Amino acid sequence: MINRRLMLRVLMLLFVVGAGVRAIDLWRPVDGTVREAWRESDTAGIARNYYREGMNLFYPRIDWRGDGPGYVEMEFPIFPWSIAAAYKVFGYHEVIGRIISYVLSLLTIAVFFRLATYLLPPIGALTASGFFVLSPLVVRISNAMQPEALMFFCYVAATYAFLKWLDEDSWKYFALALAATALAILAKATAAHLGFVFIGLLLWKRGFVALRDKRVWMFAVAALLPGALWYFRARGFWVTYGNSLGMSNEAHVIGWDFFTNRGHLLGLTVSELFHVWMPTGLIVGAFALATRFSTDAVRVALLWLVGIALYYLIFIRTTSASWAVYYHVVAVPPAALLIGATAAALTERMRSRIMWMVLGSGTIVWLLTVGLIAQKNIPLGFASPSLLKAVAVMAALSFGGLLALEKHAHSRIVGTGAQTRTRTSPAAALALFALPGTFLLQARQIAVDAHPSTMQNAYACAQQLAPVIPEDALIVATGGECTFGPRNLPAAYNASFMLY
């Protein structure tokens, strides 16, 4: 058994590893080393315009404004405004926005630790926490100049507080869940799908009689109202000036093309498998659904994933796009809970053996992650020597665990006689093999994502152009395609990177 002291030490180790991995590329400015070029440039530009042109929170301004004031339809701009406020205190340093995201990401780790330890037994909580800490998508947004870090922190905190409120009926957790939900929706409108998740949790925990509770309706109205008011106001900027960060000037909602375009489901599947589940984690999670469905952690994770699936389906024109992979970060917490539930199930079958195998393999993978990322030019193809060595290590660990499992399940005394029978568990063996492999694939993806450099040539070009452009001149820049798909649906096509 894992005692409380050991549990805290391992969680502290995980936190340190998570902080270290998230610090990679932290100090880069908004130059060619960006991942989501136009989104980061817009956020940085809005923050800079607050700093230069006035700190009125309710009037965010973009660079690509032509001869207008630049007021833009967007999520509630508390994130870029906070960056500008920090500029006022510490001076203009672009890295400040990344530091704010980084701090929020560390707070998110701490909140998820609370959620995992609340729902899972020790070994399950540690495994779920390890999966969450090393999730490539969570790492990806952890120092991005985007509002996702703020949204995700509020998103995880809202879910944890809502569960605590349902279980303890505490006004404290009611207020925390309400505030976190409202802020998550303000930070990113897509977080409103928490409504689907909370309805499922409410009906599971309290039944339909809960719909008579006035607090439920008060929660719904109070959580949605701030976002509704802001997005109504923000749409006025689109109607008046024609500026939007992809809300009104792009087709996101499902349409008839869903039934004719197989690319939607394919894109959705690829993003989920290779950026959330990795994809062997899907095998691990399926084992939890099959063997521990009656546990709270698995049911919470399943209801959570159903709510996310509805969100993906409604906005499939965006959620299926390859550029929108970071929209899938919301699926990481429930996936982590299922991974942890499987570790707990295997522990019960293996007793202490699986516990030490998971901890040992996890430690090796974390060390491997640091080693991979520390080498900027390391070959990371599927046939690279580095990856093959790592696969060999994971295979050896998995094979050892498999032998131990088979030995444990080989014979069992039946009745009072000496008769024995063989009892094998192919599903458990498969889950056991997939578990360390999932951590390995996470490590590989983090290393692949590290040190982005896709826009360095464009940045150098912009730096050369800047000195010869008069301050009062208008700049014309081409953006992306104005439409997408066979029906020529509208697409946001602003070229914010070059203008920034």
Side-chain angles (χ1 to χ4, degrees), residues 386-421:
S386 301
L387 191 63
L388 292 176
K389 291 177 183 177
V391 169
V393 172
M394 292 300 101
L397 289 168
S398 299
F399 183 70
L402 177 59
L403 289 179
L405 176 65
E406 290 301 320
K407 182 179 179 181
H408 176 71
H410 178 68
S411 62
R412 185 179 180 183
I413 301 298
V414 180
T416 57
Q419 183 181 4
T420 62
R421 66 180 181 182

PDB file of all heavy atoms in Angstrom, residues 386-421:
ATOM      1  N   SER A 386      17.062   6.377 -31.151  1.00  0.00           N
ATOM      2  CA  SER A 386      16.639   6.801 -29.815  1.00  0.00           C
ATOM      3  C   SER A 386      15.277   6.220 -29.464  1.00  0.00           C
ATOM      4  O   SER A 386      15.059   5.709 -28.366  1.00  0.00           O
ATOM      5  CB  SER A 386      16.587   8.330 -29.745  1.00  0.00           C
ATOM      6  OG  SER A 386      17.845   8.882 -30.022  1.00  0.00           O
ATOM      7  N   LEU A 387      14.356   6.293 -30.424  1.00  0.00           N
ATOM      8  CA  LEU A 387      13.017   5.786 -30.159  1.00  0.00           C
ATOM      9  C   LEU A 387      13.029   4.263 -30.042  1.00  0.00           C
ATOM     10  O   LEU A 387      12.324   3.691 -29.207  1.00  0.00           O
ATOM     11  CB  LEU A 387      12.060   6.234 -31.260  1.00  0.00           C
ATOM     12  CG  LEU A 387      10.585   5.990 -30.978  1.00  0.00           C
ATOM     13  CD1 LEU A 387      10.114   6.791 -29.771  1.00  0.00           C
ATOM     14  CD2 LEU A 387       9.740   6.307 -32.190  1.00  0.00           C
ATOM     15  N   LEU A 388      13.829   3.606 -30.876  1.00  0.00           N
ATOM     16  CA  LEU A 388      13.885   2.149 -30.815  1.00  0.00           C
ATOM     17  C   LEU A 388      14.434   1.670 -29.470  1.00  0.00           C
ATOM     18  O   LEU A 388      13.957   0.684 -28.910  1.00  0.00           O
ATOM     19  CB  LEU A 388      14.754   1.616 -31.960  1.00  0.00           C
ATOM     20  CG  LEU A 388      14.170   1.791 -33.378  1.00  0.00           C
ATOM     21  CD1 LEU A 388      15.164   1.317 -34.411  1.00  0.00           C
ATOM     22  CD2 LEU A 388      12.851   1.035 -33.509  1.00  0.00           C
ATOM     23  N   LYS A 389      15.427   2.371 -28.942  1.00  0.00           N
ATOM     24  CA  LYS A 389      15.949   2.008 -27.622  1.00  0.00           C
ATOM     25  C   LYS A 389      14.877   2.185 -26.551  1.00  0.00           C
ATOM     26  O   LYS A 389      14.733   1.344 -25.653  1.00  0.00           O
ATOM     27  CB  LYS A 389      17.168   2.868 -27.296  1.00  0.00           C
ATOM     28  CG  LYS A 389      18.391   2.557 -28.148  1.00  0.00           C
ATOM     29  CD  LYS A 389      19.537   3.502 -27.804  1.00  0.00           C
ATOM     30  CE  LYS A 389      20.744   3.234 -28.710  1.00  0.00           C
ATOM     31  NZ  LYS A 389      21.850   4.199 -28.428  1.00  0.00           N
ATOM     32  N   ALA A 390      14.143   3.274 -26.664  1.00  0.00           N
ATOM     33  CA  ALA A 390      13.086   3.514 -25.680  1.00  0.00           C
ATOM     34  C   ALA A 390      12.007   2.440 -25.768  1.00  0.00           C
ATOM     35  O   ALA A 390      11.495   1.972 -24.754  1.00  0.00           O
ATOM     36  CB  ALA A 390      12.483   4.900 -25.897  1.00  0.00           C
ATOM     37  N   VAL A 391      11.660   2.053 -26.999  1.00  0.00           N
ATOM     38  CA  VAL A 391      10.666   0.996 -27.181  1.00  0.00           C
ATOM     39  C   VAL A 391      11.159  -0.305 -26.554  1.00  0.00           C
ATOM     40  O   VAL A 391      10.395  -1.046 -25.931  1.00  0.00           O
ATOM     41  CB  VAL A 391      10.364   0.796 -28.682  1.00  0.00           C
ATOM     42  CG1 VAL A 391       9.552  -0.463 -28.904  1.00  0.00           C
ATOM     43  CG2 VAL A 391       9.616   2.000 -29.231  1.00  0.00           C
ATOM     44  N   ALA A 392      12.460  -0.587 -26.705  1.00  0.00           N
ATOM     45  CA  ALA A 392      13.013  -1.811 -26.126  1.00  0.00           C
ATOM     46  C   ALA A 392      12.883  -1.801 -24.608  1.00  0.00           C
ATOM     47  O   ALA A 392      12.535  -2.817 -23.988  1.00  0.00           O
ATOM     48  CB  ALA A 392      14.474  -1.951 -26.537  1.00  0.00           C
ATOM     49  N   VAL A 393      13.154  -0.656 -23.995  1.00  0.00           N
ATOM     50  CA  VAL A 393      13.019  -0.551 -22.539  1.00  0.00           C
ATOM     51  C   VAL A 393      11.577  -0.786 -22.126  1.00  0.00           C
ATOM     52  O   VAL A 393      11.282  -1.547 -21.190  1.00  0.00           O
ATOM     53  CB  VAL A 393      13.513   0.830 -22.054  1.00  0.00           C
ATOM     54  CG1 VAL A 393      13.203   1.017 -20.572  1.00  0.00           C
ATOM     55  CG2 VAL A 393      15.008   0.961 -22.292  1.00  0.00           C
ATOM     56  N   MET A 394      10.648  -0.127 -22.807  1.00  0.00           N
ATOM     57  CA  MET A 394       9.239  -0.279 -22.460  1.00  0.00           C
ATOM     58  C   MET A 394       8.754  -1.711 -22.703  1.00  0.00           C
ATOM     59  O   MET A 394       7.958  -2.249 -21.940  1.00  0.00           O
ATOM     60  CB  MET A 394       8.372   0.699 -23.279  1.00  0.00           C
ATOM     61  CG  MET A 394       8.588   2.169 -22.928  1.00  0.00           C
ATOM     62  SD  MET A 394       8.209   2.532 -21.205  1.00  0.00           S
ATOM     63  CE  MET A 394       9.859   2.579 -20.509  1.00  0.00           C
ATOM     64  N   ALA A 395       9.226  -2.326 -23.781  1.00  0.00           N
ATOM     65  CA  ALA A 395       8.829  -3.702 -24.066  1.00  0.00           C
ATOM     66  C   ALA A 395       9.312  -4.650 -22.978  1.00  0.00           C
ATOM     67  O   ALA A 395       8.592  -5.560 -22.554  1.00  0.00           O
ATOM     68  CB  ALA A 395       9.371  -4.124 -25.428  1.00  0.00           C
ATOM     69  N   ALA A 396      10.553  -4.428 -22.505  1.00  0.00           N
ATOM     70  CA  ALA A 396      11.090  -5.277 -21.448  1.00  0.00           C
ATOM     71  C   ALA A 396      10.261  -5.132 -20.168  1.00  0.00           C
ATOM     72  O   ALA A 396       9.934  -6.126 -19.507  1.00  0.00           O
ATOM     73  CB  ALA A 396      12.548  -4.906 -21.179  1.00  0.00           C
ATOM     74  N   LEU A 397       9.922  -3.886 -19.821  1.00  0.00           N
ATOM     75  CA  LEU A 397       9.104  -3.662 -18.633  1.00  0.00           C
ATOM     76  C   LEU A 397       7.728  -4.307 -18.787  1.00  0.00           C
ATOM     77  O   LEU A 397       7.202  -4.927 -17.864  1.00  0.00           O
ATOM     78  CB  LEU A 397       8.963  -2.162 -18.370  1.00  0.00           C
ATOM     79  CG  LEU A 397      10.231  -1.453 -17.866  1.00  0.00           C
ATOM     80  CD1 LEU A 397      10.049   0.057 -17.924  1.00  0.00           C
ATOM     81  CD2 LEU A 397      10.542  -1.880 -16.444  1.00  0.00           C
ATOM     82  N   SER A 398       7.143  -4.145 -19.961  1.00  0.00           N
ATOM     83  CA  SER A 398       5.813  -4.710 -20.200  1.00  0.00           C
ATOM     84  C   SER A 398       5.854  -6.239 -20.163  1.00  0.00           C
ATOM     85  O   SER A 398       4.959  -6.886 -19.620  1.00  0.00           O
ATOM     86  CB  SER A 398       5.282  -4.234 -21.554  1.00  0.00           C
ATOM     87  OG  SER A 398       5.177  -2.833 -21.578  1.00  0.00           O
ATOM     88  N   PHE A 399       6.905  -6.827 -20.761  1.00  0.00           N
ATOM     89  CA  PHE A 399       7.020  -8.279 -20.781  1.00  0.00           C
ATOM     90  C   PHE A 399       7.190  -8.819 -19.366  1.00  0.00           C
ATOM     91  O   PHE A 399       6.589  -9.840 -18.999  1.00  0.00           O
ATOM     92  CB  PHE A 399       8.206  -8.695 -21.657  1.00  0.00           C
ATOM     93  CG  PHE A 399       8.366 -10.176 -21.795  1.00  0.00           C
ATOM     94  CD1 PHE A 399       7.458 -10.920 -22.524  1.00  0.00           C
ATOM     95  CD2 PHE A 399       9.423 -10.840 -21.180  1.00  0.00           C
ATOM     96  CE1 PHE A 399       7.589 -12.284 -22.650  1.00  0.00           C
ATOM     97  CE2 PHE A 399       9.563 -12.207 -21.303  1.00  0.00           C
ATOM     98  CZ  PHE A 399       8.655 -12.933 -22.032  1.00  0.00           C
ATOM     99  N   GLY A 400       7.982  -8.122 -18.556  1.00  0.00           N
ATOM    100  CA  GLY A 400       8.141  -8.547 -17.172  1.00  0.00           C
ATOM    101  C   GLY A 400       6.829  -8.491 -16.417  1.00  0.00           C
ATOM    102  O   GLY A 400       6.485  -9.407 -15.655  1.00  0.00           O
ATOM    103  N   GLY A 401       6.068  -7.413 -16.635  1.00  0.00           N
ATOM    104  CA  GLY A 401       4.762  -7.312 -15.988  1.00  0.00           C
ATOM    105  C   GLY A 401       3.813  -8.391 -16.471  1.00  0.00           C
ATOM    106  O   GLY A 401       3.026  -8.944 -15.694  1.00  0.00           O
ATOM    107  N   LEU A 402       3.880  -8.714 -17.762  1.00  0.00           N
ATOM    108  CA  LEU A 402       3.023  -9.754 -18.328  1.00  0.00           C
ATOM    109  C   LEU A 402       3.323 -11.113 -17.701  1.00  0.00           C
ATOM    110  O   LEU A 402       2.413 -11.869 -17.338  1.00  0.00           O
ATOM    111  CB  LEU A 402       3.216  -9.806 -19.838  1.00  0.00           C
ATOM    112  CG  LEU A 402       2.437 -10.888 -20.602  1.00  0.00           C
ATOM    113  CD1 LEU A 402       0.945 -10.722 -20.392  1.00  0.00           C
ATOM    114  CD2 LEU A 402       2.787 -10.849 -22.073  1.00  0.00           C
ATOM    115  N   LEU A 403       4.615 -11.433 -17.551  1.00  0.00           N
ATOM    116  CA  LEU A 403       4.986 -12.707 -16.930  1.00  0.00           C
ATOM    117  C   LEU A 403       4.472 -12.776 -15.488  1.00  0.00           C
ATOM    118  O   LEU A 403       3.968 -13.810 -15.044  1.00  0.00           O
ATOM    119  CB  LEU A 403       6.505 -12.873 -16.950  1.00  0.00           C
ATOM    120  CG  LEU A 403       7.149 -13.140 -18.321  1.00  0.00           C
ATOM    121  CD1 LEU A 403       8.659 -13.250 -18.178  1.00  0.00           C
ATOM    122  CD2 LEU A 403       6.563 -14.397 -18.953  1.00  0.00           C
ATOM    123  N   ALA A 404       4.617 -11.666 -14.774  1.00  0.00           N
ATOM    124  CA  ALA A 404       4.139 -11.647 -13.390  1.00  0.00           C
ATOM    125  C   ALA A 404       2.628 -11.831 -13.339  1.00  0.00           C
ATOM    126  O   ALA A 404       2.097 -12.537 -12.470  1.00  0.00           O
ATOM    127  CB  ALA A 404       4.538 -10.330 -12.724  1.00  0.00           C
ATOM    128  N   LEU A 405       1.920 -11.219 -14.283  1.00  0.00           N
ATOM    129  CA  LEU A 405       0.467 -11.355 -14.319  1.00  0.00           C
ATOM    130  C   LEU A 405       0.067 -12.803 -14.594  1.00  0.00           C
ATOM    131  O   LEU A 405      -0.817 -13.352 -13.937  1.00  0.00           O
ATOM    132  CB  LEU A 405      -0.107 -10.435 -15.402  1.00  0.00           C
ATOM    133  CG  LEU A 405      -1.624 -10.531 -15.623  1.00  0.00           C
ATOM    134  CD1 LEU A 405      -2.381 -10.067 -14.392  1.00  0.00           C
ATOM    135  CD2 LEU A 405      -2.054  -9.722 -16.833  1.00  0.00           C
ATOM    136  N   GLU A 406       0.728 -13.426 -15.570  1.00  0.00           N
ATOM    137  CA  GLU A 406       0.398 -14.803 -15.908  1.00  0.00           C
ATOM    138  C   GLU A 406       0.710 -15.748 -14.748  1.00  0.00           C
ATOM    139  O   GLU A 406      -0.040 -16.682 -14.461  1.00  0.00           O
ATOM    140  CB  GLU A 406       1.177 -15.220 -17.157  1.00  0.00           C
ATOM    141  CG  GLU A 406       0.708 -14.534 -18.428  1.00  0.00           C
ATOM    142  CD  GLU A 406      -0.750 -14.817 -18.715  1.00  0.00           C
ATOM    143  OE1 GLU A 406      -1.207 -15.954 -18.518  1.00  0.00           O
ATOM    144  OE2 GLU A 406      -1.457 -13.885 -19.130  1.00  0.00           O
ATOM    145  N   LYS A 407       1.798 -15.490 -14.049  1.00  0.00           N
ATOM    146  CA  LYS A 407       2.136 -16.320 -12.894  1.00  0.00           C
ATOM    147  C   LYS A 407       1.083 -16.190 -11.803  1.00  0.00           C
ATOM    148  O   LYS A 407       0.702 -17.162 -11.150  1.00  0.00           O
ATOM    149  CB  LYS A 407       3.513 -15.910 -12.355  1.00  0.00           C
ATOM    150  CG  LYS A 407       3.985 -16.746 -11.168  1.00  0.00           C
ATOM    151  CD  LYS A 407       5.365 -16.300 -10.707  1.00  0.00           C
ATOM    152  CE  LYS A 407       5.807 -17.128  -9.512  1.00  0.00           C
ATOM    153  NZ  LYS A 407       7.158 -16.692  -9.024  1.00  0.00           N
ATOM    154  N   HIS A 408       0.588 -14.953 -11.624  1.00  0.00           N
ATOM    155  CA  HIS A 408      -0.420 -14.706 -10.594  1.00  0.00           C
ATOM    156  C   HIS A 408      -1.741 -15.392 -10.939  1.00  0.00           C
ATOM    157  O   HIS A 408      -2.451 -15.877 -10.065  1.00  0.00           O
ATOM    158  CB  HIS A 408      -0.627 -13.192 -10.457  1.00  0.00           C
ATOM    159  CG  HIS A 408      -1.707 -12.813  -9.483  1.00  0.00           C
ATOM    160  ND1 HIS A 408      -1.562 -12.962  -8.117  1.00  0.00           N
ATOM    161  CD2 HIS A 408      -2.940 -12.295  -9.680  1.00  0.00           C
ATOM    162  CE1 HIS A 408      -2.659 -12.544  -7.512  1.00  0.00           C
ATOM    163  NE2 HIS A 408      -3.510 -12.137  -8.435  1.00  0.00           N
ATOM    164  N   ALA A 409      -2.061 -15.441 -12.245  1.00  0.00           N
ATOM    165  CA  ALA A 409      -3.355 -15.978 -12.661  1.00  0.00           C
ATOM    166  C   ALA A 409      -3.276 -17.439 -13.123  1.00  0.00           C
ATOM    167  O   ALA A 409      -4.268 -17.997 -13.566  1.00  0.00           O
ATOM    168  CB  ALA A 409      -3.925 -15.115 -13.803  1.00  0.00           C
ATOM    169  N   HIS A 410      -2.095 -18.065 -13.019  1.00  0.00           N
ATOM    170  CA  HIS A 410      -1.918 -19.393 -13.615  1.00  0.00           C
ATOM    171  C   HIS A 410      -2.764 -20.470 -12.947  1.00  0.00           C
ATOM    172  O   HIS A 410      -3.381 -21.291 -13.625  1.00  0.00           O
ATOM    173  CB  HIS A 410      -0.434 -19.785 -13.553  1.00  0.00           C
ATOM    174  CG  HIS A 410      -0.162 -21.153 -14.098  1.00  0.00           C
ATOM    175  ND1 HIS A 410      -0.306 -21.456 -15.438  1.00  0.00           N
ATOM    176  CD2 HIS A 410       0.222 -22.308 -13.474  1.00  0.00           C
ATOM    177  CE1 HIS A 410      -0.006 -22.723 -15.622  1.00  0.00           C
ATOM    178  NE2 HIS A 410       0.322 -23.262 -14.465  1.00  0.00           N
ATOM    179  N   SER A 411      -2.770 -20.495 -11.640  1.00  0.00           N
ATOM    180  CA  SER A 411      -3.511 -21.559 -10.975  1.00  0.00           C
ATOM    181  C   SER A 411      -4.385 -21.001  -9.872  1.00  0.00           C
ATOM    182  O   SER A 411      -4.077 -19.959  -9.289  1.00  0.00           O
ATOM    183  CB  SER A 411      -2.540 -22.587 -10.393  1.00  0.00           C
ATOM    184  OG  SER A 411      -1.717 -21.975  -9.433  1.00  0.00           O
ATOM    185  N   ARG A 412      -5.488 -21.672  -9.631  1.00  0.00           N
ATOM    186  CA  ARG A 412      -6.425 -21.234  -8.600  1.00  0.00           C
ATOM    187  C   ARG A 412      -7.120 -22.474  -8.019  1.00  0.00           C
ATOM    188  O   ARG A 412      -7.600 -23.337  -8.759  1.00  0.00           O
ATOM    189  CB  ARG A 412      -7.449 -20.293  -9.241  1.00  0.00           C
ATOM    190  CG  ARG A 412      -8.409 -19.681  -8.230  1.00  0.00           C
ATOM    191  CD  ARG A 412      -9.367 -18.761  -8.964  1.00  0.00           C
ATOM    192  NE  ARG A 412     -10.314 -18.139  -8.044  1.00  0.00           N
ATOM    193  CZ  ARG A 412     -11.298 -17.335  -8.412  1.00  0.00           C
ATOM    194  NH1 ARG A 412     -11.458 -17.049  -9.672  1.00  0.00           N
ATOM    195  NH2 ARG A 412     -12.108 -16.831  -7.523  1.00  0.00           N
ATOM    196  N   ILE A 413      -7.137 -22.584  -6.703  1.00  0.00           N
ATOM    197  CA  ILE A 413      -7.782 -23.725  -6.052  1.00  0.00           C
ATOM    198  C   ILE A 413      -9.287 -23.569  -6.147  1.00  0.00           C
ATOM    199  O   ILE A 413      -9.839 -22.521  -5.845  1.00  0.00           O
ATOM    200  CB  ILE A 413      -7.365 -23.808  -4.577  1.00  0.00           C
ATOM    201  CG1 ILE A 413      -5.843 -23.947  -4.478  1.00  0.00           C
ATOM    202  CG2 ILE A 413      -8.062 -24.963  -3.891  1.00  0.00           C
ATOM    203  CD1 ILE A 413      -5.300 -25.190  -5.113  1.00  0.00           C
ATOM    204  N   VAL A 414      -9.965 -24.603  -6.610  1.00  0.00           N
ATOM    205  CA  VAL A 414     -11.415 -24.580  -6.763  1.00  0.00           C
ATOM    206  C   VAL A 414     -12.028 -25.574  -5.780  1.00  0.00           C
ATOM    207  O   VAL A 414     -11.656 -26.747  -5.768  1.00  0.00           O
ATOM    208  CB  VAL A 414     -11.825 -24.929  -8.199  1.00  0.00           C
ATOM    209  CG1 VAL A 414     -13.353 -24.906  -8.329  1.00  0.00           C
ATOM    210  CG2 VAL A 414     -11.192 -23.959  -9.171  1.00  0.00           C
ATOM    211  N   GLY A 415     -12.982 -25.108  -4.960  1.00  0.00           N
ATOM    212  CA  GLY A 415     -13.642 -25.977  -3.999  1.00  0.00           C
ATOM    213  C   GLY A 415     -12.679 -26.439  -2.919  1.00  0.00           C
ATOM    214  O   GLY A 415     -11.779 -25.718  -2.520  1.00  0.00           O
ATOM    215  N   THR A 416     -12.857 -27.683  -2.495  1.00  0.00           N
ATOM    216  CA  THR A 416     -12.023 -28.210  -1.404  1.00  0.00           C
ATOM    217  C   THR A 416     -10.965 -29.184  -1.896  1.00  0.00           C
ATOM    218  O   THR A 416     -10.119 -29.608  -1.132  1.00  0.00           O
ATOM    219  CB  THR A 416     -12.903 -28.938  -0.378  1.00  0.00           C
ATOM    220  OG1 THR A 416     -13.620 -29.978  -1.057  1.00  0.00           O
ATOM    221  CG2 THR A 416     -13.895 -27.979   0.263  1.00  0.00           C
ATOM    222  N   GLY A 417     -11.017 -29.531  -3.164  1.00  0.00           N
ATOM    223  CA  GLY A 417     -10.064 -30.495  -3.672  1.00  0.00           C
ATOM    224  C   GLY A 417      -8.798 -29.827  -4.173  1.00  0.00           C
ATOM    225  O   GLY A 417      -8.584 -28.632  -4.016  1.00  0.00           O
ATOM    226  N   ALA A 418      -7.953 -30.652  -4.801  1.00  0.00           N
ATOM    227  CA  ALA A 418      -6.668 -30.160  -5.295  1.00  0.00           C
ATOM    228  C   ALA A 418      -6.725 -29.792  -6.770  1.00  0.00           C
ATOM    229  O   ALA A 418      -5.701 -29.559  -7.395  1.00  0.00           O
ATOM    230  CB  ALA A 418      -5.594 -31.212  -5.060  1.00  0.00           C
ATOM    231  N   GLN A 419      -7.949 -29.801  -7.364  1.00  0.00           N
ATOM    232  CA  GLN A 419      -8.085 -29.521  -8.787  1.00  0.00           C
ATOM    233  C   GLN A 419      -7.688 -28.072  -9.076  1.00  0.00           C
ATOM    234  O   GLN A 419      -8.042 -27.160  -8.351  1.00  0.00           O
ATOM    235  CB  GLN A 419      -9.537 -29.759  -9.221  1.00  0.00           C
ATOM    236  CG  GLN A 419      -9.747 -29.556 -10.721  1.00  0.00           C
ATOM    237  CD  GLN A 419     -11.207 -29.777 -11.095  1.00  0.00           C
ATOM    238  OE1 GLN A 419     -12.033 -30.003 -10.220  1.00  0.00           O
ATOM    239  NE2 GLN A 419     -11.497 -29.717 -12.371  1.00  0.00           N
ATOM    240  N   THR A 420      -6.945 -27.835 -10.121  1.00  0.00           N
ATOM    241  CA  THR A 420      -6.528 -26.492 -10.515  1.00  0.00           C
ATOM    242  C   THR A 420      -6.995 -26.224 -11.940  1.00  0.00           C
ATOM    243  O   THR A 420      -7.263 -27.130 -12.723  1.00  0.00           O
ATOM    244  CB  THR A 420      -5.007 -26.345 -10.445  1.00  0.00           C
ATOM    245  OG1 THR A 420      -4.413 -27.253 -11.366  1.00  0.00           O
ATOM    246  CG2 THR A 420      -4.482 -26.604  -9.036  1.00  0.00           C
ATOM    247  N   ARG A 421      -7.037 -24.942 -12.271  1.00  0.00           N
ATOM    248  CA  ARG A 421      -7.375 -24.566 -13.640  1.00  0.00           C
ATOM    249  C   ARG A 421      -6.594 -23.302 -14.010  1.00  0.00           C
ATOM    250  O   ARG A 421      -6.272 -22.483 -13.148  1.00  0.00           O
ATOM    251  CB  ARG A 421      -8.877 -24.333 -13.801  1.00  0.00           C
ATOM    252  CG  ARG A 421      -9.415 -23.136 -13.018  1.00  0.00           C
ATOM    253  CD  ARG A 421     -10.906 -22.968 -13.218  1.00  0.00           C
ATOM    254  NE  ARG A 421     -11.410 -21.814 -12.490  1.00  0.00           N
ATOM    255  CZ  ARG A 421     -12.680 -21.451 -12.465  1.00  0.00           C
ATOM    256  NH1 ARG A 421     -13.585 -22.183 -13.102  1.00  0.00           N
ATOM    257  NH2 ARG A 421     -13.063 -20.381 -11.793  1.00  0.00           N
TER     258      ARG A 421
END
